[in-house]
Amino acid sequence: MKGVVIDIYQAEAYVSLQDGRNICVGLAHLPSNIKTGTSINIPMDSTSMTNHKISNGIF
């Protein structure tokens, strides 16, 4: 699926996909020369998205 890099941090980048979703992708999975605004193609069949929750007992 095609997307556009909307923000880049030290270890991850946020990508806005063409279907309206925003995802966080590790920089190790992206080309080394990306910049904010770069269009990229992410094969969605090879990604796994999970919902991580932190228990309230930690805080």
Side-chain angles (χ1 to χ4, degrees):
M1 179 171 292
K2 293 191 184 228
V4 176
V5 177
I6 55 176
D7 210 352
I8 300 174
Y9 294 98
Q10 290 180 356
E12 60 200 19
Y14 286 89
V15 178
S16 177
L17 300 176
Q18 65 186 15
D19 66 358
R21 292 183 293 159
N22 293 333
I23 62 171
C24 180
V25 180
L27 290 180
H29 302 285
L30 297 172
S32 61
N33 60 349
I34 65 163
K35 298 178 184 172
T36 301
T38 302
S39 294
I40 58 173
N41 188 20
I42 298 177
M44 294 308 289
D45 57 347
S46 67
T47 61
S48 153
M49 301 204 187
T50 57
N51 184 13
H52 297 282
K53 294 183 181 178
I54 298 174
S55 74
N56 291 334
I58 295 175
F59 298 104

